[in-house]
Amino acid sequence: MILGVHAYLRMNGNGKAAVKFYENALEAEVLGVQTYGDLPENPEFTLPAEAKDRVVHAQLKVGSTFLMLSDTFPGQPYETGSQVDVAITLNDVETSKEVFEKLQEGGEVIMPLQETPWSPSYGQIKDKFGVTWQISTLEL
């Protein structure tokens, strides 16, 4: 079942400052902030020092909805004006797979569905209209 659709902002290394700003400006409750440095170490991939303090995922509660954000990984392109994605949260992996498959029709997969430290099934797609979707299954 789809639980919600939320704005997902991409920052360019200033994610922690953005969390503080939106916390104050929107009277938001910060539900969590995770940095790349907080992720489990991967012996096949050395995390660059400049990435360790960048936000890999943050979630704020604003009223009865959510605002999420992350920083780009160092070296990834960042284009002002295209930093808002749509995040869709679901409560089961099978439904996530179905939605992911439907959205990829005529579009392109940015990140295949996979298990991550924050979700048992997470992926990204740019649909045929150029909208980037982040599909995330929540463990309830």
Side-chain angles (χ1 to χ4, degrees):
M1 174 171 82
I2 295 175
L3 300 173
V5 176
H6 313 283
Y8 198 108
L9 308 178
R10 281 178 302 204
M11 301 291 138
N12 195 25
N14 56 352
K16 285 185 175 180
V19 167
K20 292 286 185 199
F21 176 79
Y22 294 125
E23 178 183 25
N24 180 54
L26 304 175
E27 298 181 4
E29 176 187 355
V30 178
L31 300 178
V33 177
Q34 186 177 30
T35 65
Y36 286 100
D38 294 332
L39 296 176
E41 288 189 34
N42 180 348
E44 297 175 20
F45 178 76
T46 303
L47 188 65
E50 65 269 22
K52 290 183 181 182
D53 206 37
R54 287 189 178 211
V55 175
V56 70
H57 181 72
Q59 184 170 358
L60 294 85
K61 186 172 184 193
V62 182
S64 61
T65 191
F66 301 95
L67 176 66
M68 293 176 264
L69 67 88
S70 65
D71 279 312
T72 57
F73 196 78
Q76 283 184 324
Y78 180 82
E79 184 178 333
T80 300
S82 66
Q83 66 268 41
V84 179
D85 294 349
V86 180
I88 184 166
T89 53
L90 302 102
N91 68 351
D92 68 272
V93 172
E94 284 308 310
T95 304
S96 294
K97 288 178 183 176
E98 291 172 14
V99 170
F100 193 87
E101 288 173 12
K102 290 175 184 178
L103 286 171
Q104 76 178 351
E105 183 180 319
E108 70 176 276
V109 174
I110 298 169
M111 179 181 179
L113 277 178
Q114 58 193 273
E115 185 174 338
T116 64
W118 63 89
S119 174
S121 182
Y122 173 83
Q124 297 178 15
I125 287 181
K126 184 175 282 191
D127 72 17
K128 64 183 175 183
F129 301 105
V131 176
T132 300
W133 293 85
Q134 296 189 31
I135 311 299
S136 189
T137 306
L138 301 177
E139 294 182 298
L140 300 176

